[in-house]
Amino acid sequence: MDATTNEGMILAIVLIVIAVAAIAAVYLYRRRQSQRLKVRFGTEYRRTVKQLGGETKAEAELRRREARMAKLNIRPLTVTEAERFGDAWTRVQGRFVDNPRGAVADADKLVTELMTARGYPMSDFDRRAADISVDHPRVVDSYRSAQLIAVKDSRGEADTEELRRAIVHYRTLFADLLQVHTPSNAAEPGHVAVQP
């Protein structure tokens, strides 16, 4: 073999090694991204895969949700706001015994008010649930379950046990959304720190 042939073979081998390394890098990147989404979204990841019929479509949807939420100004509540919402929730729960249907409707309304106060856009339910899934993936199923029961109740088809479950689901979401901004001087005497 002459020098030109050796150089050509070396160049071909180098190009093959570079191509294999590039393919491996892309594969590892995608695998890390998939793992990140699985960890971040948990059951919502699996639900989206099932709904959209595959991981590729589901992951694209979850990344779109993340991008959409990154553009929004979602904020924690002030201590005063959190106390006001907490008191309102206590009143909603207290009304359940005498008026389960009214309490569920009030819980839905209060959760919507809390989401609005935090900066979540109020569009259709599916969009709200998708938005919530980004920052609160552990409780979005509770939101969906509560909403299904509320819709069933609006048709007069929900029994008291289902209404109780709706309140529990709304409470789960409510508690997770009740995030408070704690000022840096919160540890000083006279400041109240409200935990989420």
Side-chain angles (χ1 to χ4, degrees), residues 82-133:
E83 288 172 350
R84 182 175 57 82
F85 277 109
D87 291 344
W89 182 260
T90 300
R91 288 190 300 276
V92 166
Q93 286 188 136
R95 284 194 293 271
F96 183 82
V97 171
D98 295 327
N99 185 359
R101 286 194 163 96
V104 169
D106 290 348
D108 182 59
K109 182 179 175 189
L110 186 60
V111 164
T112 300
E113 289 174 12
L114 176 55
M115 289 171 66
T116 301
R118 297 273 324 272
Y120 288 94
M122 290 294 108
S123 54
D124 64 80
F125 175 77
D126 290 332
R127 174 64 73 164
R128 286 193 313 266
D131 290 347
I132 288 293
S133 75

Side-chain angles (χ1 to χ4, degrees), residues 126-178:
D126 290 332
R127 174 64 73 164
R128 286 193 313 266
D131 290 347
I132 288 293
S133 75
V134 175
D135 295 330
H136 305 276
R138 294 172 298 131
V139 298
V140 71
D141 283 339
S142 289
Y143 189 32
R144 286 191 181 101
S145 296
Q147 184 69 23
L148 286 173
I149 295 168
V151 167
K152 188 175 179 181
D153 182 51
S154 72
R155 297 187 307 254
E157 299 170 358
D159 62 26
T160 304
E161 177 56 25
E162 289 173 308
L163 296 174
R164 185 196 65 76
R165 283 196 315 268
I167 288 289
V168 170
H169 289 308
Y170 278 125
R171 183 180 59 211
T172 300
L173 173 64
F174 186 86
D176 212 52
L177 285 170
L178 201 62

Side-chain angles (χ1 to χ4, degrees), residues 10 16 30 41-42 44 61 66 84 86 93 96 104 122 129 146-147 158 175 179-180:
I10 291 172
I16 290 170
R30 286 185 180 165
F41 285 93
E44 181 68 6
E61 166 60 20
E66 287 177 325
R84 182 175 57 82
Q93 286 188 136
F96 183 82
V104 169
M122 290 294 108
Q147 184 69 23
Q179 295 178 354
V180 178

